[in-house]
Amino acid sequence: MTSRYESLTRTELAVLIPELLLCGHLIDRSGMAHVLGALGREGMTAVAIEEWQLASPVYTRRMRRALGIDGDGVAEIFKGFQLDIGAPPQFMDFRYRVSDHDHGEFHLDHCGALADVEPMGTEFVVSMCHDIEDPTFDATALATNPQAQVRPVHRPPRVPADRTPVCAWTVVIDPAHEPPTPHERAHLVAGSEAAAVALAPIEPEGEGLHDYSGPLLNDLRFGDFSRAALVRIADEVALQHHLLTLGYRTAVAARTDPDTTLDIVGKQFAGIAGLTAERLRNALGLGDDAAALAKVLRLHPAFNPAPYVDIDVSTETSGGAQTVQLRIGRGCGAVDDGAWAALLTPDRLEPLNALVRAVNPHFHAVVREATDCALTIEIARAATPFRESTEVAITRFSTGAAFAFTDRGIPLPLTVR
């Protein structure tokens, strides 16, 4: 199988992709609370800067290649933003304007990240909107043009407190601009298996857009893409999850001992695994039985894309009760990288339990076999429901946990060719 997302219809994929983008953004809501507890606000800020600096140039280049985004102007930078887990549609409501190849601007009509952080106080707002955004916007833009600079017109803390748009930025490309220096640990993510994994090219068959080589659109309506393009986008967005988490793990490991790093990354995995499973189940209108769980497992970004994460999911019936069997192969890129699949061991099933209980709180995971080649787990129903894990509850703090996407109609081109 080249992609597990091939099992979905074009309509289902168009619903799924915004969910994957949003859940990728919420990885930080899951992870940063635990970094804050271990390293304080300044340490959390440093981890956030580093993880995005390490990951976003890598996955932006991948998405550009996948969708034929060949230019190096402001419009192409904005196309990258639209397909980035750092800017999920509507939740981070970027509005773009392009003046010419080298000049543009954007503002945010709504910023879900700000809505999450403002109640925490001015210091946290400054950390996010100043300390983190300055280096990470440039890191993302350099994947399109190293001479691009993203600079604020205005940004929070908001004065007055209800100011809209919440922030505004210019993007200028100038040969005189000095490209940002790559991070000293950039090679650890850029050289990962995730960065190099080969995915099937988009075959231009059927209806819809097969790439994003045309004009920049004010919004992306994913239903306008072809089914083949949507499959590839879904795989690339799932890979963004892994690349960001590898950046997160690298940044945490540089500041803590190995046991603390493993504990923090495991808690991050548990929080986002559960919330993502819940959103996927709801978005696709699934039930809460074994069949629904099997589908969620096959589609969950923690276990995708298929060429990177080796899993097999099946259902079995015994004595009238259905169970789900999950086999995680140990000879795959995700395990080699130390990504999420590598964190599941016979002694550490908390992230998987958080995931399966988001489908049904009665589910629980039991190891059936553990070898050097694979970990095989059975997921069955317990008589009484389990409480939601602390890690999922922390992630649910974000307004993104209950965010609902809306139909904005036909997208409009912002550039004329």
Side-chain angles (χ1 to χ4, degrees):
M1 176 186 289
T2 57
S3 174
R4 295 187 185 95
Y5 296 119
E6 289 177 350
S7 65
L8 298 180
T9 66
R10 186 179 171 198
T11 299
E12 288 173 327
L13 287 161
V15 170
L16 177 79
I17 289 171
E19 294 292 337
L20 293 178
L21 287 164
L22 176 58
C23 290
H25 188 80
L26 297 180
I27 289 172
D28 267 3
R29 301 303 179 277
S30 175
M32 288 306 167
H34 307 293
V35 175
L36 178 64
L39 299 176
R41 182 178 56 81
E42 291 185 359
M44 180 193 71
T45 299
V47 168
I49 292 170
E50 182 171 339
E51 67 167 342
W52 290 99
Q53 283 182 317
L54 300 187
S56 66
V58 177
Y59 64 62
T60 298
R61 292 188 182 103
R62 286 190 58 97
M63 191 68 83
R64 282 171 51 82
R65 290 193 298 269
L67 292 182
I69 304 172
D70 295 329
D72 63 355
V74 168
E76 286 74 32
I77 291 172
F78 291 162
K79 287 182 181 182
F81 286 178
Q82 290 177 320
L83 294 157
D84 190 321
I85 57 175
Q90 300 183 26
F91 184 68
M92 304 292 288
D93 196 12
F94 281 62
R95 303 286 89 196
Y96 303 104
R97 179 177 176 272
V98 178
S99 299
D100 55 40
H101 177 276
D102 295 334
H103 299 86
E105 59 191 61
F106 64 88
H107 67 265
L108 269 69
D109 281 344
H110 171 76
C111 179
L114 181 64
D116 293 345
V117 170
E118 273 187 326
M120 300 172 68
T122 299
E123 288 186 339
F124 283 90
V125 171
V126 171
S127 291
M128 183 180 74
C129 300
H130 295 241
D131 302 335
I132 296 172
E133 296 292 15
D134 284 352
T136 56
F137 268 141
D138 279 354
T140 301
L142 74 81
T144 298
N145 194 313
Q147 269 72 46
Q149 288 186 347
V150 184
R151 295 294 180 265
V153 178
H154 69 82
R155 55 182 166 178
R158 291 193 284 175
V159 180
D162 59 350
R163 179 176 184 172
T164 57
V166 298
C167 64
W169 303 74
T170 62
V171 182
V172 176
I173 298 171
D174 188 328
H177 288 163
E178 187 71 24
T181 302
H183 195 280
E184 61 180 325
R185 286 182 283 276
H187 65 284
L188 296 177
V189 174
S192 67
E193 294 290 328
V197 66
L199 299 176
I202 298 169
E203 297 295 338
E205 299 176 354
E207 297 179 351
L209 299 170
H210 304 303
D211 57 34
Y212 195 12
S213 61
L216 170 70
L217 302 172
N218 66 332
D219 285 304
L220 284 187
R221 186 170 62 175
F222 289 101
D224 292 336
F225 285 90
S226 69
R227 183 173 175 276
L230 291 172
V231 168
R232 179 60 184 268
I233 293 170
D235 274 331
E236 290 289 351
V237 175
L239 204 57
Q240 290 185 19
H241 289 228
H242 294 287
L243 287 162
L244 185 66
T245 297
L246 292 177
Y248 175 82
R249 182 168 187 161
T250 299
V252 173
R255 294 164 175 83
T256 63
D257 62 82
D259 288 342
T260 301
T261 297
L262 189 61
D263 179 63
I264 289 174
V265 176
K267 289 176 178 176
Q268 176 230 44
F269 182 16
I272 195 59
L275 189 61
T276 299
E278 176 184 291
R279 287 197 63 97
L280 294 185
R281 171 183 172 268
N282 292 340
L284 295 174
L286 303 178
D288 63 356
D289 59 3
L293 174 59
K295 187 164 187 174
V296 168
L297 287 168
R298 293 188 187 103
L299 301 178
H300 200 288
F303 300 125
N304 283 285
Y308 183 63
V309 191
D310 177 19
I311 66 159
D312 181 70
V313 181
S314 61
T315 57
E316 296 182 4
T317 303
S318 177
Q322 273 201 324
T323 61
V324 176
Q325 309 294 318
L326 170 65
R327 178 189 178 278
I328 304 171
R330 292 309 194 190
C332 63
V335 174
D336 292 343
D337 279 344
W340 281 328
L343 299 180
L344 296 175
T345 69
D347 298 323
R348 292 198 307 268
L349 294 181
E350 293 86 357
L352 182 60
N353 274 321
L355 189 162
V356 302
R357 288 167 190 166
V359 176
N360 188 313
H362 289 265
F363 282 135
H364 68 109
V366 177
V367 174
R368 289 304 178 211
E369 185 179 30
T371 68
D372 291 341
C373 296
L375 175 65
T376 303
I377 299 163
E378 180 179 274
I379 302 155
R381 287 178 60 107
T384 57
F386 294 88
R387 294 180 60 184
E388 181 175 79
S389 73
T390 300
E391 291 76 19
V392 176
I394 288 172
T395 312
R396 200 181 294 285
F397 163 80
S398 172
T399 57
F403 186 79
F405 295 101
T406 60
D407 183 355
R408 291 186 165 181
I410 298 173
L412 300 176
L414 295 178
T415 56
V416 179
R417 302 179 76 133

